[in-house]
């Protein structure tokens, strides 16, 4: 305590009575005084620190930066807290490092500049801060976890809501389909049955031998209507089998020309005045391995539609092209076409285009044919012709996994 020999005993009393550590250094950074709290804090005996360099109390990895900080401080000579915003550390005699907070206060004594440093051991505070940080991190982790769980729950609720809406929409669509189906069946069956009844009534009036031609005409009408009704019933049965998964396909090898001949022969009875079907070229040598009945069903549907939706005195052309993977059968008409805004619904069950509502039909033929073809790794698609009419294409795989 030689530093205080020229000063009052009151100053000494205050210096030793402060609970915080106090050291005084000169301009050469030599310690000229330290109080009991400092000695106890750093593990030194009384007067042991006097004459030692200040860096004795600073960890070695901070020595270089300390020199610059001290020079800057002495140049400004202002009272301030040291290392504001930084983590400061002291080092005890036993080499134990610990966190500190330091306040600096320069003063002049007998013409000499000194710096008084107030040192506080903040180990306990740091431990509390670490505990608080860990608690906060744990809370943040829990909040994040709860947020994820909440987001998951919200996502599940939204998915459940979407499924419920989808179910309600499907139920609504099913109800509309049932209504449409009943109306369709009523209309499609009523007209042929009325025709059959009329023809049957007229037949009873033609009893003479020379009236056979008239009887044959009405018998032909009855046969045609019965076949039409039979086809409708077959379509409905096909829908039921497709929905229940009861369809069993039968593959065989057959000539493409055989099927096309049969389909065209049957379709000739449906041709309007002046209509004709143009037969495809160079198909006699084409042999397919496919379900023969499904191909016949699909081509019949496409050609019958072409006849139905084309005016009199027009041609329906059938063209066949193929490559190494697929064979394409194109049915090209010069009919009314399909409105652009309705094309996406063409293969929907019971769909009838707005420009075809007056024509007979159930609206399920294309749906059935396309679903059968897709089950067999093929497909059916279409495009409107540039001038007029529509081209439907049946794509048949040349090699198929049975």
């Amino acid at each position: 305590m030689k530093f205080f020999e020229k000063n009052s005993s009151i100053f000494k009393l205050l210096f030793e009575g402060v609970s915080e550590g106090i050291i005084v250094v000169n301009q050469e950074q030599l310690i000229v005084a330290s109080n009991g709290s400092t000695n106890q804090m750093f593990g030194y005996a009384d007067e042991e620190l006097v004459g030692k360099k200040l860096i004795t109390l600073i960890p070695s990895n901070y020595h270089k930066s300390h020199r610059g900080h001290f020079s800057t401080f002495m140049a400004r000579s202002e009272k301030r807290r040291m290392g504001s915003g930084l983590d400061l550390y002291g080092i005890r005699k036993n080499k134990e490092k610990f966190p500190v907070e330091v306040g600096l206060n320069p003063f002049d004594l007998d013409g000499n500049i000194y710096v008084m440093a107030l040192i506080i051991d903040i180990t306990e505070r740091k431990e509390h801060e670490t505990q608080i940080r860990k608690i906060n991190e744990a809370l943040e982790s829990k909040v994040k976890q709860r947020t994820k769980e909440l987001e998951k729950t919200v996502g599940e609720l939204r998915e459940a809501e979407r499924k419920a809406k989808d179910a309600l929409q499907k139920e609504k669509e099913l109800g509309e389909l049932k209504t449409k189906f009943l109306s369709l069946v009523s209309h499609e069956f009523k007209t042929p049955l009325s025709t059959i009844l009329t023809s049957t009534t007229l037949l009873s009036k033609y009893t003479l031998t020379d009236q056979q031609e008239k009887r044959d005409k009405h018998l032909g009408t009855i046969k045609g209507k019965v076949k039409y009704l039979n086809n409708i019933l077959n379509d409905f049965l096909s829908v039921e089998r497709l929905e229940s998964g009861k369809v069993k396909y039968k593959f065989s090898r057959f000539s493409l020309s055989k099927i096309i001949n049969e389909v065209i022969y049957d379709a000739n009875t449906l041709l309007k005045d002046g209509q004709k079907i143009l037969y495809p070229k160079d198909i006699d040598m084409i042999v397919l391995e496919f379900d023969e009945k499904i191909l016949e069903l699909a081509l019949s549907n496409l050609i019958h539609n072409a006849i139905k939706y084309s005016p009199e005195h027009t041609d329906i052309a059938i063209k066949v092209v193929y490559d190494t993977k697929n064979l394409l059968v194109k049915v090209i008409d010069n009919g009314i076409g399909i409105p652009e805004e309705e094309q996406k619904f063409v293969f929907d069950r019971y769909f009838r285009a707005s420009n075809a509502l007056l024509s007979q039909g159930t609206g399920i033929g294309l749906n059935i044919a396309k679903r059968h073809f897709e089950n067999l790794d093929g497909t059916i698609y279409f495009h409107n012709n540039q001038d007029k009419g529509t081209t439907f294409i049946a794509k048949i795989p040349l090699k198929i996994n049975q």
Side-chain angles (χ1 to χ4, degrees):
M1 287 294 186
K2 295 179 180 179
F3 175 73
F4 297 108
E5 289 178 357
K6 296 181 179 180
N7 299 289
S8 68
S9 58
I10 296 176
F11 184 60
K12 294 180 182 179
L13 181 65
L14 290 173
F15 191 73
E16 289 295 339
V18 176
S19 59
E20 286 80 8
I22 297 177
I23 61 173
V24 178
V25 297
N26 60 19
Q27 295 185 70
E28 286 75 35
Q29 298 190 52
L30 294 176
I31 299 172
V32 297
S34 65
N35 69 350
S37 296
T38 299
N39 298 330
Q40 184 178 359
M41 186 187 307
F42 285 90
Y44 289 92
D46 291 347
E47 302 295 332
E48 188 177 357
L49 284 173
V50 174
K52 293 183 179 296
K53 293 182 178 181
L54 178 60
I55 58 174
T56 303
L57 305 180
I58 299 172
S60 58
N61 55 315
Y62 292 97
H63 288 183
K64 185 176 182 180
S65 59
H66 168 74
R67 294 188 186 96
H69 293 323
F70 188 84
S71 297
T72 302
F73 173 77
M74 292 303 292
R76 294 180 179 177
S77 295
E78 58 183 7
K79 179 180 179 180
R80 67 179 176 86
R81 178 182 172 185
M82 182 177 177
S84 180
L86 301 176
D87 289 330
L88 302 179
Y89 292 90
I91 188 166
R92 305 186 203 276
K93 187 176 182 180
N94 63 4
K95 306 303 180 183
E96 178 187 351
K97 190 169 74 170
F98 65 101
V100 295
E101 186 178 273
V102 181
L104 302 177
N105 185 23
F107 64 95
D108 186 307
L109 184 64
D110 296 333
N112 295 311
I113 301 298
Y114 298 90
V115 177
M116 180 184 292
L118 179 66
I119 306 170
I120 302 174
D121 182 347
I122 58 172
T123 300
E124 186 174 347
R125 183 201 302 175
K126 286 291 185 180
E127 288 175 354
H128 289 163
E129 289 176 354
T130 300
Q131 290 176 359
I132 292 171
R133 185 175 65 254
K134 288 181 178 179
I135 291 171
N136 287 337
E137 288 174 354
L139 287 174
E140 288 178 4
S141 178
K142 285 184 179 181
V143 169
K144 288 180 181 178
Q145 181 63 30
R146 293 291 185 270
T147 301
K148 287 182 179 178
E149 292 173 357
L150 181 60
E151 288 175 350
K152 182 180 178 182
T153 302
V154 171
E156 290 173 350
L157 288 172
R158 286 176 177 170
E159 179 64 16
E161 181 184 20
R162 185 190 65 78
K163 288 181 178 179
K165 287 181 177 179
D166 288 346
L168 288 172
Q169 181 62 28
K170 287 180 180 178
E171 185 177 348
K172 181 182 177 181
E173 290 174 355
L174 181 60
E176 292 173 352
L177 278 177
K178 287 179 179 178
T179 302
K180 196 171 184 179
F181 172 75
L182 292 173
S183 174
L184 179 70
V185 170
S186 175
H187 178 269
E188 293 300 321
F189 274 72
K190 184 177 180 180
T191 302
L193 287 173
S194 297
T195 303
I196 291 171
L197 180 60
T198 301
S199 294
T200 304
T201 302
L202 292 173
L203 270 176
S204 65
K205 295 182 180 182
Y206 301 129
T207 58
L208 301 177
T209 303
D210 59 359
Q211 293 178 320
Q212 184 62 41
E213 184 178 347
K214 293 182 179 180
R215 285 195 291 271
D216 288 342
K217 179 182 178 182
H218 289 293
L219 285 171
T221 300
I222 292 171
K223 287 180 181 179
K225 295 304 178 183
V226 168
K227 186 175 182 179
Y228 174 74
L229 292 174
N230 184 64
N231 289 338
I232 292 177
L233 290 174
N234 285 335
D235 284 347
F236 291 149
L237 290 173
S238 292
V239 170
E240 190 277 330
R241 285 195 293 269
L242 281 168
E243 292 295 337
S244 62
K246 296 179 180 178
V247 180
K248 292 184 179 180
Y249 298 105
K250 183 179 179 181
F251 293 89
S252 62
R253 290 178 64 82
F254 56 90
S255 169
L256 176 63
S257 61
K258 172 179 175 289
I259 297 299
I260 289 182
N261 284 334
E262 291 175 357
V263 171
I264 291 178
Y265 178 80
D266 181 63
N268 280 331
T269 60
L270 303 174
L271 290 173
K272 299 174 184 176
D273 187 28
Q275 283 185 336
K276 60 181 178 180
I277 300 174
L278 303 180
Y279 195 85
K281 298 178 180 179
D282 304 323
I283 66 168
D284 292 337
M285 301 302 294
I286 298 177
V287 176
L288 298 177
E289 188 170 349
F290 201 67
D291 189 307
E292 187 174 342
K293 288 186 176 179
I294 295 301
L295 180 58
E296 182 179 358
L297 178 148
L299 294 182
S300 294
N301 186 279
L302 297 182
I303 293 173
H304 292 178
N305 282 347
I307 294 171
K308 185 192 305 183
Y309 299 123
S310 296
E312 297 176 347
H313 304 286
T314 56
D315 296 337
I316 291 100
I318 302 174
K319 293 184 179 181
V320 176
V321 297
Y322 62 94
D323 54 28
T324 56
K325 294 184 178 180
N326 300 292
L327 181 138
L328 306 180
V329 180
K330 301 181 178 181
V331 179
I332 307 164
D333 66 49
N334 293 283
I336 59 177
I338 303 167
E340 185 175 351
E341 65 276 9
E342 298 180 4
Q343 291 180 12
K344 61 183 177 181
F345 305 114
V346 165
F347 293 104
D348 289 356
R349 194 185 307 169
Y350 306 128
F351 171 74
R352 304 291 302 284
S354 58
N355 59 347
L357 296 178
L358 298 179
S359 301
Q360 283 188 325
T362 60
I364 59 177
L366 283 175
N367 174 269
I368 293 169
K370 189 173 193 296
R371 290 177 67 182
H372 278 310
F373 261 58
E374 289 178 345
N375 288 343
L376 297 170
D377 292 340
T379 191
I380 296 176
Y381 58 98
F382 73 96
H383 59 77
N384 273 356
N385 298 337
Q386 186 173 0
D387 298 324
K388 187 179 181 182
T390 309
T391 296
F392 274 85
I393 300 103
K395 185 170 79 171
I396 307 160
L398 294 178
K399 293 182 180 180
I400 188 165
N401 297 323
Q402 299 185 30

